[in-house]
């Protein structure tokens, strides 16, 4: 039984924003895979909901703008991201990440927008979106604004969404993906239907001869209270031969992270995962980019 006081089915983004303004205590529901769990657990019992679930025409799908930027509608399901031809052809690492959330049913219902708006450090798409320096376009009663993902996370479960605002687009600027190869590793206690003990996403751009790391982006989930970039590690490997970079990146990443102990794993184990998986993620990304490693 779900204890829901009311649910309003919005017919457009403008209508959803109006409905939220008219009912300030109402909560947005998209795929509902986070919200409904909380309602069932009693944490949101008796809540009022504004559903954007039927706004697929405005809020779902992946497109490529004339300038090459890739735009993802927040209502696109995990599955929709993974199977998008545009994602497969340009940013396969993002599809690799969304393909590791939950199981097949969850991936057909949960949306990438919900995954970004829930503000959770273990969100499987979040570290790759951090590595890609995604830009989040939000719309509210006063119009649209863009938030770099580096400024999005404000604390556990808190993101930079003002009252009555909706996430309406996730933009991946062309310069942030073109020429990069990537790899996402989710370490979990089992291979499906489990939240990440640690998630690591690495993007790498190699020199023309594929021997040197020209640029790298490394980001983690569950290495701190919110998804995070490992900027010291990135700086440490820029300009290094690939094999040296693979050896160096894990130790350097320890400067950046701040994991905690939870029932899933101890802080010490997560630190070990950060060190080991950073090297593995970089090695596989470099291999995909053409390095002989
Ligand atoms: C069995 C199960 C397994 C799971 N496994 C994983 C997993 O392995 N990895 C993982 O990352 N997650 C997992 N999840 C969590 C969940 O599926 C994801 O976080 C999913 O992306 C949430 O999307 P949703 O559309 O269902 O969000 P909803 O539940 O509809 O919403 C989530 C939050 O985002 C807000 N929101 C949603 N869309 C918008 C928008 N466009 N604008 C503003 N606010 C918005 C809502 O108000 C709410 O606060 C799992 C959940 C379940 C139930």
């Amino acid at each position: 039984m779900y204890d829901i006081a009311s649910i309003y089915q919005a017919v457009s983004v403008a209508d959803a924003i109006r409905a939220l303004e008219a009912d300030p205590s109402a909560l947005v529901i998209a795929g509902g895979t986070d919200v409904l769990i909380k309602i069932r657990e009693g944490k949101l019992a008796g809540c009022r909901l504004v559903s954007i679930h039927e706004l697929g025409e405005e809020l779902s799908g992946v497109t490529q703008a004339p300038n090459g930027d890739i735009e993802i509608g927040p209502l696109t399901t995990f599955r929709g991201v993974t199977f998008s031809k545009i994602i497969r052809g340009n940013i396969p690492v993002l599809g690799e990440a969304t393909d590791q959330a939950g199981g097949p049913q969850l991936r057909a219902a949960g949306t990438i927008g919900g995954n970004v708006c829930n503000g959770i450090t273990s969100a499987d798409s979040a570290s790759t979106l951090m590595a890609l320096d995604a830009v989040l376009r939000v719309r509210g009663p006063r119009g649209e604004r863009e938030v770099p993902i580096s400024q999005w996370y404000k604390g556990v479960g808190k993101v930079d969404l003002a009252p009555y605002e909706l996430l309406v687009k996730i933009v991946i600027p062309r310069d942030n993906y073109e020429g990069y190869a990537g790899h996402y590793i989710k370490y979990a206690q089992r291979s499906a239907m489990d939240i990440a003990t640690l998630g690591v996403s690495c993007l790498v751009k190699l020199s023309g001869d594929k021997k040197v790391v020209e640029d790298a982006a490394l980001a983690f989930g569950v290495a701190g209270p919110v998804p995070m970039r490992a900027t010291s590690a990135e700086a440490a490997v820029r300009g290094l031969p690939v094999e040296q970079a693979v050896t160096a990146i894990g130790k350097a990443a320890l400067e950046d992270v701040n994991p905690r102990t939870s029932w899933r794993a101890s802080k010490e184990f997560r630190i070990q995962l950060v060190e080991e998986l950073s090297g593995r993620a970089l090695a596989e990304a470099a291999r995909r980019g053409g390095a002989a490693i």
Side-chain angles (χ1 to χ4, degrees), residues 11-272:
V11 295
S12 66
V13 170
D15 184 42
I17 293 168
R18 264 196 308 271
L20 289 167
E21 275 191 293
D23 188 356
S25 67
L27 182 72
V28 173
I29 183 167
T33 61
D34 281 322
V35 169
L36 289 172
I37 297 292
K38 285 191 189 159
I39 294 172
R40 201 182 54 191
E41 287 171 347
K43 291 179 192 154
L44 289 174
C47 65
R48 306 169 69 78
L49 298 172
V50 171
S51 172
I52 58 168
H53 189 260
E54 301 307 314
L55 305 185
E57 215 166 289
E58 276 183 274
L59 292 182
S60 185
V62 181
T63 52
Q64 193 162 22
N67 67 359
D69 291 359
I70 290 177
E71 303 190 342
I72 306 172
L75 262 191
T76 313
T77 59
F78 288 124
R79 187 176 191 283
V81 174
T82 301
F83 286 95
S84 152
K85 282 199 178 122
I86 292 171
I87 296 296
R88 285 183 160 200
N90 295 281
I91 325 177
V93 60
L94 183 58
E96 181 177 40
T98 50
D99 201 33
Q100 293 184 53
Q105 288 164 311
L106 187 276
R107 293 194 287 273
T111 68
I112 190 164
N115 209 224
V116 166
C117 290
N118 68 14
I120 302 293
T121 187
S122 59
D124 273 310
S125 66
S127 42
T128 303
L129 291 173
M130 291 289 289
L132 287 163
D133 258 331
V135 175
L136 305 174
R137 195 174 294 155
V138 299
R139 195 184 303 165
R142 284 194 293 277
E144 281 194 359
R145 64 190 180 97
E146 291 194 336
V147 185
I149 197 164
S150 56
Q151 289 165 34
W152 178 249
Y153 293 98
K154 298 296 180 195
V156 178
K158 291 199 189 92
V159 297
D160 187 14
L161 267 177
Y164 325 130
E165 277 185 335
L166 289 177
L167 176 65
V168 292
K169 205 68 95 181
I170 299 167
V171 182
I172 318 290
R174 177 186 194 148
D175 289 348
N176 299 359
Y177 70 82
E178 201 170 62
Y180 289 83
H183 185 42
Y184 174 70
I185 302 175
K186 173 179 185 171
Y187 184 96
Q189 289 170 350
R190 56 184 191 180
S191 52
M193 298 303 280
D194 200 2
I195 296 296
T197 301
L198 191 91
V200 52
S201 193
C202 186
L203 303 186
V204 64
K205 185 184 257 181
L206 299 175
S207 56
D209 62 6
K210 311 291 183 192
K211 291 190 170 154
V212 172
V213 172
E214 263 185 10
D215 192 24
L218 183 71
F220 295 103
V222 211
V226 294
M228 57 167 64
R229 279 285 282 269
T231 48
S232 320
E234 294 168 4
V237 300
R238 265 183 216 118
L240 286 186
V242 172
E243 281 184 20
Q244 270 185 43
V246 167
T247 311
I249 195 165
K251 273 250 172 322
L254 299 181
E255 299 275 306
D256 297 302
V257 298
N258 181 25
R260 68 179 183 94
T261 295
S262 72
W263 67 265
R264 274 199 173 80
S266 65
K267 177 184 174 99
E268 291 71 23
F269 183 57
R270 286 200 167 95
I271 285 173
Q272 193 185 336

